[in-house]
Amino acid sequence: MALNLFRRKKERKPSIRKKAVFSLGSLALIFVLSGAITFLEYRRMSDYVSERISASINSITLSQQLSDITEEYNNKMLAVVLRNDISIMPDTDEHNVFMAQSEVLKNSIGSEEALPILNKIEASFDRFISTSKEFDQVFLADTVDTHEWFFGTLQPAYNQFCHDMSELNAAIHSELQANSINFDESFYRSIVPGIVCICAGLLLVLLLMYFTIANYVNPIYRIAAGLNAYKSSGKRYANIMEGNDHLADINADVSEIIEENIELKHRVKNLKEDK
């Protein structure tokens, strides 16, 4: 019997401590990974969509600047007509400023629908500027009324520009709205991996709970019940536990100790009877 105990203690048994550390460590790793994946995915999508939204807002600002440049030039032309003073004709340098701003806007716009509209706006602006340069001839001609020329020739060109600009603003706002919707969708897509990992972690928690109760808690209760039965009524300890871990060793040792205790009691009883 002593030899069996010695051999059993020398054998490598699965460590309960290692099992617990491995199980809890796996759960901790899953939750850490789920949090990291969720954070990185959300950060990536958030940066991308935020960049697109920022570009759309910048496009709106640049578009408004183009409108302001053209509106200011048109107001200056109106002042020339109303005062009938060619000396206050606006400088055509606005054309260069406009084209420079338009080039910046092209680089900012990400919508394929807006780029053709911007090209049309540039053409409308060129027609408007080219028409305004005809004012010298109109002013010198006695047969042409400057007011009629302004409202009948120049103003329609400006109105066409405004119409094209409205189309561009609508396209940019549509892009901004699409980016906002994409941001919401990206947010839900980014948290899906985290939700999946958390659900997997919760499932593993339930499995770990079942494993702990079935393999450790219940066996300990059976060992305690067997010991109580032996102490209270002398009932033989008959708890059989399968496995090769420390609990199986403890159960086997308890069974052997009780058997030795029973045998010792019988010997003591026999010695008392012999006397």
Side-chain angles (χ1 to χ4, degrees), residues 134-196:
E134 298 174 0
F135 182 77
D136 292 344
Q137 300 175 3
V138 173
F139 182 80
L140 296 176
D142 296 333
T143 58
V144 180
D145 184 81
T146 56
H147 291 75
E148 292 181 358
W149 173 86
F150 179 83
F151 291 103
T153 304
L154 183 61
Q155 200 62 23
Y158 175 72
N159 293 336
Q160 181 61 43
F161 170 83
C162 294
H163 178 269
D164 295 340
M165 185 60 70
S166 297
E167 289 186 8
L168 178 63
N169 290 331
I172 295 175
H173 280 88
S174 297
E175 181 185 9
L176 178 60
Q177 184 178 7
N179 287 330
S180 299
I181 295 174
N182 190 27
F183 178 81
D184 294 335
E185 294 176 352
S186 300
F187 171 75
Y188 290 111
R189 285 199 303 268
S190 65
I191 65 175
V192 167
I195 294 175
V196 172

Side-chain angles (χ1 to χ4, degrees), residues 7-24:
R7 287 178 178 176
R8 187 165 58 249
K9 291 179 180 179
K10 286 296 184 180
E11 293 175 357
R12 293 181 63 86
K13 302 295 181 181
S15 172
I16 296 177
R17 183 184 294 107
K18 289 182 179 180
K19 289 182 179 180
V21 171
F22 176 77
S23 301
L24 297 176

Side-chain angles (χ1 to χ4, degrees), residues 3-233:
L3 182 60
N4 291 334
L5 287 174
F6 177 77
R7 287 178 178 176
R8 187 165 58 249
K9 291 179 180 179
K10 286 296 184 180
E11 293 175 357
R12 293 181 63 86
K13 302 295 181 181
S15 172
I16 296 177
R17 183 184 294 107
K18 289 182 179 180
K19 289 182 179 180
V21 171
F22 176 77
S23 301
L24 297 176
S26 299
L27 290 177
L29 181 61
I30 288 175
F31 284 114
V32 170
L33 288 177
S34 65
I37 292 173
T38 301
F39 175 78
L40 292 176
E41 182 67 15
Y42 175 76
R43 184 67 179 272
R44 184 181 68 85
M45 295 303 299
S46 177
D47 290 344
Y48 172 75
V49 179
S50 297
E51 181 180 351
R52 297 311 311 156
I53 292 176
S54 177
S56 297
I57 295 174
N58 185 51
S59 298
I60 293 174
T61 302
L62 293 174
S63 174
Q64 185 60 45
Q65 290 176 356
L66 294 181
S67 297
D68 293 341
I69 291 172
T70 311
E71 182 181 7
E72 183 180 1
Y73 187 88
N74 185 68
N75 291 336
K76 289 180 179 178
M77 287 299 302
L78 178 60
V80 172
V81 172
L82 294 177
R83 297 180 184 180
N84 199 26
D85 185 1
I86 197 173
S87 64
I88 60 173
M89 276 284 294
D91 192 354
T92 56
D93 287 343
E94 280 83 355
H95 181 269
N96 296 330
V97 176
F98 182 95
M99 298 306 295
Q101 289 288 92
S102 179
E103 191 65 28
V104 175
L105 182 57
K106 282 183 180 180
N107 297 329
S108 176
I109 291 178
S111 173
E112 296 181 357
E113 299 177 356
L115 289 176
I117 300 175
L118 183 57
N119 293 330
K120 186 166 65 172
I121 288 174
E122 291 179 350
S124 297
F125 183 79
D126 284 337
R127 284 194 299 269
F128 172 70
I129 292 295
S130 299
T131 304
S132 70
K133 292 179 180 179
E134 298 174 0
F135 182 77
D136 292 344
Q137 300 175 3
V138 173
F139 182 80
L140 296 176
D142 296 333
T143 58
V144 180
D145 184 81
T146 56
H147 291 75
E148 292 181 358
W149 173 86
F150 179 83
F151 291 103
T153 304
L154 183 61
Q155 200 62 23
Y158 175 72
N159 293 336
Q160 181 61 43
F161 170 83
C162 294
H163 178 269
D164 295 340
M165 185 60 70
S166 297
E167 289 186 8
L168 178 63
N169 290 331
I172 295 175
H173 280 88
S174 297
E175 181 185 9
L176 178 60
Q177 184 178 7
N179 287 330
S180 299
I181 295 174
N182 190 27
F183 178 81
D184 294 335
E185 294 176 352
S186 300
F187 171 75
Y188 290 111
R189 285 199 303 268
S190 65
I191 65 175
V192 167
I195 294 175
V196 172
C197 291
I198 291 174
C199 292
L202 293 176
L203 179 61
L204 288 178
V205 169
L206 296 177
L207 292 175
L208 178 61
M209 183 186 301
Y210 171 79
F211 173 79
T212 303
I213 293 175
N215 292 277
Y216 297 105
V217 177
N218 290 339
I220 291 174
Y221 275 115
R222 290 201 300 270
I223 292 174
L227 288 172
N228 290 332
Y230 171 72
K231 288 190 297 181
S232 60
S233 60

